[in-house]
């Protein structure tokens, strides 16, 4: 299991992924699930992955080598728009399914993959997509300015209540980390360290890449203060007068 979250804000993109991969309780490993492609000043794209590790790595490798789309071999460095980039990732997923799907089914293994793709290409606004195992996809909007893949249910409530497109980037980072902390506390299959990527609007390059572990001072403070704040808020609530 994994948890990845992406925020589409007026000021840019915040993308966060955990790094835990497991093939059973006694086979737990750390693998980065964030992949970045950039041509500074022209484009920057970040891809977060969840699902079967062999499948997600195969998708990324196909994207590096080039995928035929619309009769042309293209990569994330050559597609003209973010929409075409999402189409390219979807086509790579379908190609991996065609190549590996039958063998996986023969072994009783499902074709499990979800991919989040965010970024900006010069001349257009930042965009954020979620690509499914069938290769189709949806896009984040002003009504729902965030997307999640993997174990999403624990980290969703804080985003539903607080996040808007106008949220500043720094606040978006805090919200993404709180969302991740809520998931870490409730699901042991999601684990530290986590990888944070920040892309500022119109910068056309990665603004920040940071691996955050147990020893990160800000994240440690945030986890403690958020827990304390929840307890304080709960204790300040009035008790129901109809309880008797």
């Amino acid at each position: 299991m994994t948890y990845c979250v992406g925020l589409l804000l007026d000021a840019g993109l915040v993308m966060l992924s955990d790094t835990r991969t497991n093939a059973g309780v006694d086979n737990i490993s750390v693998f980065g699930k964030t992949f970045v492609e950039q041509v500074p000043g022209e484009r920057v794209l970040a891809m977060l992955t969840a699902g079967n590790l062999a499948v997600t790595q195969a998708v990324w490798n196909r994207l590096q080598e080039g995928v035929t789309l619309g009769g042309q071999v293209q990569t994330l460095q050559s597609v003209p728009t973010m929409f075409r980039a999402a189409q390219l990732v979807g086509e790579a997923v379908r190609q991996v399914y065609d190549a590996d799907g039958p063998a996986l089914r023969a072994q009783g293994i499902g074709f499990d993959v979800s991919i989040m793709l965010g970024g900006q290409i010069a001349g257009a606004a930042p965009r954020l997509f979620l690509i499914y195992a069938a290769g189709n996809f949806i896009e984040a909007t002003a009504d729902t300015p965030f997307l999640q893949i993997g174990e999403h249910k624990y980290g969703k409530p804080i985003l539903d209540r607080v996040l808007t497109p106008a949220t500043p980037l720094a606040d978006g980072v805090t919200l993404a980390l709180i969302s991740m902390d809520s998931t870490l506390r409730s699901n042991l299959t999601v684990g530290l360290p986590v990888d944070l990527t920040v892309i500022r609007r119109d910068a056309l390059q990665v603004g920040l890449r940071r691996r955050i572990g147990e020893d990160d001072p800000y994240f440690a403070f945030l986890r403690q203060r958020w827990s304390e704040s929840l307890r304080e808020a709960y204790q300040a609530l009035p008790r129901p007068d109809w309880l008797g």
Side-chain angles (χ1 to χ4, degrees):
M1 189 55 74
T2 191
Y3 177 54
C4 302
V5 58
L7 314 182
L8 178 65
L9 308 175
D10 293 340
L13 293 157
V14 176
M15 304 181 74
L16 184 67
S17 68
D18 87 310
T19 57
R20 176 162 294 178
T21 298
N22 75 86
V25 295
D26 60 349
N27 187 10
I28 296 173
S29 303
V30 172
F31 278 90
K33 303 169 187 176
T34 299
F35 303 87
V36 172
E37 191 77 77
Q38 64 178 337
V39 180
E42 197 273 326
R43 69 182 60 209
V44 55
L45 301 94
M47 192 175 91
L48 311 185
T49 63
N52 184 296
L53 183 63
V55 171
T56 59
Q57 289 187 348
V59 169
W60 177 249
N61 283 318
R62 281 181 180 264
L63 290 167
Q64 295 298 291
E65 293 184 355
V67 175
T68 301
L69 184 68
Q72 292 183 320
V73 176
Q74 300 204 43
T75 69
L76 293 176
Q77 290 196 9
S78 66
V79 288
T81 66
M82 284 300 301
F83 178 76
R84 294 290 280 179
Q87 286 185 313
L88 193 73
V89 174
E91 181 59 28
V93 170
R94 285 189 285 266
Q95 288 186 11
V96 173
Y97 177 80
D98 290 341
D100 298 341
L104 289 171
R105 286 196 303 273
Q107 296 295 321
I109 301 172
F111 187 80
D112 180 20
V113 58
S114 299
I115 294 174
M116 194 184 308
L117 179 71
Q120 184 178 14
I121 295 175
R127 299 175 77 174
L128 180 65
F129 298 89
L130 193 163
I131 298 100
Y132 298 105
N136 58 329
F137 53 86
I138 62 171
E139 182 175 5
T141 67
D143 292 324
T144 306
F146 68 92
L147 295 173
Q148 301 167 286
I149 55 177
E151 183 56 273
H152 64 273
K153 57 183 176 291
Y154 303 108
K156 189 172 186 290
I158 180 65
L159 301 176
D160 282 335
R161 289 179 179 273
V162 178
L163 189 74
T164 72
T167 300
L169 272 180
D171 291 352
V173 169
T174 299
L175 287 172
L177 290 172
I178 291 173
S179 177
M180 180 64 73
D181 178 57
S182 299
T183 306
L184 292 169
R185 287 179 176 273
S186 299
N187 191 319
L188 294 178
T189 66
V190 178
L192 291 167
V194 297
D195 288 329
L196 173 67
T197 304
V198 178
I199 299 172
R200 298 182 183 277
R201 186 185 185 99
D202 297 330
L204 298 174
Q205 62 182 359
V206 172
L208 173 71
R209 289 193 74 182
R210 183 179 180 87
R211 175 156 286 190
I212 298 171
E214 293 278 3
D215 58 347
D216 185 271
Y218 176 72
F219 189 53
F221 165 79
L222 189 68
R223 303 184 82 178
Q224 179 181 355
R225 188 69 188 99
W226 180 244
S227 295
E228 292 171 353
S229 297
L230 286 176
R231 284 193 293 270
E232 291 167 4
Y234 155 71
Q235 291 167 357
L237 292 172
R239 303 299 178 259
D241 57 9
W242 38 258
L243 188 59

